[in-house]
Amino acid sequence: GLDERTGRKRLDFHRAPKSPQLVEHVVRLATRHEGTGASVLIYVRTVALARKIHDALRKTLADKADKGENRLAILTGTLRGYERDRLTEHPVVQRFSPMRDRAPRGDTVYLVSTAAGEVGANYDADYCVCDLTTLENMIQRFGRVNRLGLYPESAIDVVLDEEALKKAREGKVDSLQPLA
């Protein structure tokens, strides 16, 4: 019928007044999808932030019944070629393949990535949580969400790091450029 909303992407913005709150915000937004069997892609600008989020997410999932085992992967530009190639075989990363079996699974999976997983990455996530970066990079990120339109309605949550935005506006640092 007309009420079937297929392949839509919803964009929501959230504020993190201070940089340390960015990690908590991202983890909270990502884990809202627990129990849905979804694939959640988390994009951030820096390797340091990706690692902090990965660690916080691991701690959060450790409280769950399955301890979050094998539900979390990280992709950064610091990975060597061999590690990057092996990552494509990771069970979590396979859950982001556009060709995956879409039978519902109870376990939600998370992939934390820097810009290394934006261009040329053949991902199709059900949901995305990310920080703000350049328009070019945001377009790359959004293109990795519900690529084939097979998920009824995907949400993209953008967390605004107000501290970084303020610095960028004051010209102190070009803080929205991805660092890898």
Side-chain angles (χ1 to χ4, degrees):
L2 288 174
D3 63 345
E4 284 179 35
R5 299 189 300 194
T6 55
R8 289 194 18 182
K9 298 180 193 186
R10 196 183 72 242
L11 188 58
D12 290 316
F13 290 91
H14 310 268
R15 299 160 79 125
K18 301 214 181 311
S19 295
Q21 294 173 337
L22 187 68
V23 173
E24 297 161 34
H25 260 68
V26 168
V27 169
R28 190 170 43 77
L29 289 165
T31 53
R32 282 193 317 192
H33 306 293
E34 271 295 289
T36 63
S39 54
V40 182
L41 190 47
I42 300 166
Y43 275 126
V44 288
R45 289 188 324 272
T46 69
V47 173
L49 189 54
R51 289 194 180 127
K52 280 182 192 162
I53 288 168
H54 185 257
D55 291 346
L57 201 47
R58 181 185 281 138
K59 280 193 189 97
T60 302
L61 295 178
D63 299 339
K64 306 276 183 251
D66 67 349
K67 303 258 182 281
E69 286 298 311
N70 305 317
R71 297 209 283 131
L72 185 56
I74 184 167
L75 170 62
T76 68
T78 57
L79 290 181
R80 294 190 300 274
Y82 170 73
E83 293 171 314
R84 187 187 294 258
D85 293 345
R86 291 259 330 271
L87 196 60
T88 60
E89 295 159 25
H90 194 293
V92 167
V93 176
Q94 288 181 341
R95 292 272 304 275
F96 288 85
S97 163
M99 305 307 151
R100 70 184 177 272
D101 167 21
R102 290 173 189 271
R105 289 182 178 84
D107 53 338
T108 299
V109 292
Y110 303 89
L111 176 59
V112 183
S113 179
T114 58
E118 289 173 3
V119 182
N122 192 18
Y123 295 141
D124 181 17
D126 299 325
Y127 295 104
C128 177
V129 181
C130 63
D131 60 1
L132 192 64
T133 185
T134 61
L135 179 60
E136 190 181 351
N137 287 80
M138 293 305 276
I139 291 166
Q140 288 290 338
R141 291 172 174 189
F142 294 171
R144 307 285 164 258
V145 182
N146 207 359
R147 286 178 79 171
L148 304 180
L150 298 175
Y151 205 75
E153 187 175 52
S154 290
I156 300 170
D157 291 296
V158 181
V159 183
L160 305 172
D161 180 343
E162 294 194 346
E163 233 170 3
L165 281 172
K166 189 169 178 263
K167 283 179 186 160
R169 270 194 219 106
E170 292 166 1
K172 288 182 181 162
V173 61
D174 193 4
S175 61
L176 298 184
Q177 283 293 337
L179 302 175

